[in-house]
Amino acid sequence: MLSTLVKISNVTNLSDARYCTGMGVDMLGFSMDANSPDYVDSVRFAEIRNWVVGVQIVGETAETDPAQIQELLKTYQPDLLQVDEAALLPTLSVSGLPLILRLNLADITLEQLDALVKSNPTNADYILIESPAPLHLDDDLKTSIGQLATRHAVLLGAGITADTIHDLLAELPIKGIALTGGAEDRPGSRDFGELMDILETIEIE
């Protein structure tokens, strides 16, 4: 059992799926976009999904066409849907699936993040904050994230290490955290590295 909600993003292999499920994570995310380096085709996705139980499956997409997203949902049939565009949320809410809005901190300024707090995108069940590169959470950024987290269920996916995780959970009113999967060293073999360190740090015996 883990001390907070955990989503694993960009899962590409069974090793990650089985390990993370065994550790008690809440959500496994799979990219449905064929142009993504982390893309998992529907056949491989079904094979992985059949091996895991007790975890929610997130379909991740950067697609902006609602019709294309609906086709992806028919193919993958995830439990939750993750998108990158807030403007899509009202249209996609009719799908009945819980929605995750992903914010890439590399693409938005602190002012834009503050504006999002004020705009209050109520169609999002979760707001995922990620960064593709290592990121230091300075005081200003923590303040903005904290303000957002007072209104929404925020999943923090940036600035997290095994050394900082407990302080972040104590300091910020976030719903949970998001970590990223990785590649297998060879089929069926994976060095989980920092992912394992963080999960073991928040594991409740």
Side-chain angles (χ1 to χ4, degrees):
M1 181 178 179
L2 302 176
S3 63
T4 190
L5 186 153
V6 178
K7 174 185 183 285
I8 308 297
S9 302
N10 303 118
V11 176
T12 60
N13 56 76
L14 182 58
S15 293
D16 271 4
R18 294 182 70 177
Y19 170 73
C20 292
T21 300
M23 286 296 292
V25 306
D26 300 272
M27 305 175 189
L28 296 178
F30 297 83
S31 174
M32 303 183 293
D33 296 337
N35 60 351
S36 167
D38 299 310
Y39 171 61
V40 177
D41 66 68
S42 59
V43 175
R44 180 63 175 152
F45 169 79
E47 292 174 350
I48 296 174
R49 189 172 191 174
N50 286 338
W51 276 96
V52 296
V53 294
V55 62
Q56 292 187 300
I57 302 300
V58 182
E60 303 169 340
T61 182
E63 178 61 60
T64 58
D65 181 351
Q68 291 296 324
I69 294 175
Q70 292 297 339
E71 288 301 314
L72 291 173
L73 293 180
K74 289 179 183 178
T75 301
Y76 285 83
Q77 299 185 15
D79 302 310
L80 299 93
L81 172 64
Q82 176 181 306
V83 296
D84 292 357
E85 295 288 341
L88 290 169
L89 296 175
T91 300
L92 295 174
S93 63
V94 299
S95 70
L97 291 180
L99 301 175
I100 300 174
L101 173 63
R102 174 181 174 269
L103 302 180
N104 183 349
L105 289 178
D107 295 335
I108 62 174
T109 65
L110 191 59
E111 289 74 19
Q112 289 171 320
L113 184 58
D114 288 337
L116 182 69
V117 174
K118 296 174 183 176
S119 68
N120 200 24
T122 55
N123 293 105
D125 294 275
Y126 299 94
I127 295 181
L128 168 62
I129 299 176
E130 287 189 330
S131 173
L135 179 72
H136 171 66
L137 297 178
D138 60 27
D139 290 340
D140 288 341
L141 186 52
K142 284 182 182 178
T143 297
S144 294
I145 292 172
Q147 290 174 345
L148 187 63
T150 60
R151 297 189 180 191
H152 301 283
V154 168
L155 303 178
L156 181 62
I160 298 171
T161 67
D163 293 330
T164 63
I165 180 61
H166 285 303
D167 288 341
L168 288 173
L169 290 174
E171 186 176 354
L172 297 172
I174 55 177
K175 181 69 173 179
I177 64 171
L179 306 172
T180 303
E184 291 179 311
D185 304 308
R186 60 183 185 277
S189 177
R190 163 98 152 86
D191 178 3
F192 294 102
E194 188 175 40
L195 174 67
M196 179 176 67
D197 293 340
I198 295 172
L199 292 180
E200 289 186 348
T201 298
I202 59 174
E203 186 177 15
I204 300 174
E205 298 293 341

